[in-house]
Amino acid sequence: MASPSSQFLFSLLCLALLSLPHIVSSIGINYGQVANNLPPPKNVIPLLKSVGATKVKLYDADPQALRAFSGSGFELTVALGNEYLAQMTDPNKAQAWVKENVQAYLPNTKIVAIVVGNEVLTSNQSALTAALFPAMQGIHGALVDCGLNKQIFVTTAHSLAILDVSYPPSATSFRRDLLSSLTPILDFHVKTGSPILINAYPFFAYEENPKHVSLDFVLFQPNQGFTDPGSNFHYDNMLFAQVDAVYHALDAVGISYKKVPIVVSETGWPSNGDPQEVGATCDNARKYNGNLIKMMMSKKMRTPIRPECDLTIFVFALFNENMKPGPTSERNYGLFKPDGTPVYSLGIKTSSTHSSGSSNSTGGSGSSSGGNTGGSSGGGGIYPPVTDNPSPDYMSISSAKTVKLHT
């Protein structure tokens, strides 16, 4: 029989465990505004809350949006478009930008990060590539001068096309032709403690190889998955395999980069597309985003290679954006229509209220994507084993399409 003292200690332990908060991952949403029919920023906060979001990523530093999020409690990431990179190499201009677009809104608007450029290294634009790292240094230096570098980090977003080999994750590496530009950025991440941002879209992998890629594997549906023969890690969804491919590429460059965290800055699935855009359906979008958000609401997001690192993910995107160029899919990544009704039901329930005031379960029709840029040039790159023998081209990287679509 247990002694009174041991029973007392056990009771204290149980009480302590019960008092611990329920640990879940933070849900991030990309809020793009390439449209002429969207509601004002102040009206999007209930929509964000309805899907459990706590983090929002903008594609610029829109003053109206920054004012709207004042006092909202959301953590905001703002962005500096590729067209401004050359200017930000000038310390004076960088400081002016930070003071006008960031410092002016603090502390009521909780800005936590600045993304300098989007998918620059894979843009095949040498001038942009040359300006990227100096621009990051310029913005970081401005934050230091303003005393904000401890609360706001600086980073940039990459497509998965920065990878050379992408399957299996344990065999991945960064493209050699990009290392001279990428290595200083990785050193910057190590020095400042900032994460590397990756735009990852399993949709593109499926679209390009629907006969070889398991739809259940890319949609977070029950499936047998695959085991990486090099690491013996098992994967049951493509997104985690894509993330671990980047982690392995970091490890391959050098041991000093093992502590650089990854943030998935964009991932999503279109609810509609052109006839040749295989997989761009409302049902697939519902499954991909619904399953992903439910995973983030229920547990920490951790991949096999970095089981100790919580993975932050930003879903693309809040709205369908009717002025985006490119194929039909580009205008159909949104969780919501411009009138605030859900594009499809995510199958989740929160305590928040819908913009119309009703209790939210993100239900809605089963119909048919900031200020600056939004989306990725592609997000394939990791493919699970298939029943048929794949060609060498099938196993190679395909994370970026030849024609850049989202930006």
Side-chain angles (χ1 to χ4, degrees), residues 306-348:
R306 292 288 191 276
E308 75 283 1
C309 296
D310 296 335
L311 182 63
T312 296
I313 299 173
F314 287 84
V315 175
F316 187 85
L318 185 61
F319 290 110
N320 284 339
E321 298 170 67
N322 69 341
M323 295 183 69
K324 300 195 71 173
T328 298
S329 63
E330 288 298 299
R331 295 173 288 282
N332 289 277
Y333 274 88
L335 300 177
F336 293 95
K337 300 175 185 178
D339 64 2
T341 59
V343 176
Y344 43 78
S345 172
L346 289 171
I348 63 174

Side-chain angles (χ1 to χ4, degrees), residues 186-240:
L186 297 180
D187 290 335
F188 175 88
H189 289 317
V190 173
K191 180 180 178 180
T192 65
S194 58
I196 182 173
L197 269 55
I198 297 295
N199 299 335
Y201 287 85
F203 164 70
F204 289 112
Y206 180 77
E207 179 196 13
E208 293 174 10
N209 295 276
K211 293 182 179 180
H212 292 135
V213 178
S214 164
L215 185 58
D216 287 340
F217 184 74
V218 296
L219 296 180
F220 305 100
Q221 294 285 95
N223 67 95
Q224 65 181 11
F226 79 96
T227 299
D228 185 325
S231 66
N232 207 36
F233 288 135
H234 185 79
Y235 294 91
D236 61 8
N237 70 80
M238 183 179 287
L239 182 63
F240 279 15

Side-chain angles (χ1 to χ4, degrees), residues 244-255:
D244 272 1
V246 180
Y247 270 129
H248 193 276
L250 286 169
D251 294 349
V253 177
I255 191 170

Side-chain angles (χ1 to χ4, degrees), residues 11-22:
S11 299
L12 286 179
L13 176 61
C14 291
L15 182 62
L17 290 173
L18 289 172
S19 66
L20 288 175
H22 181 52

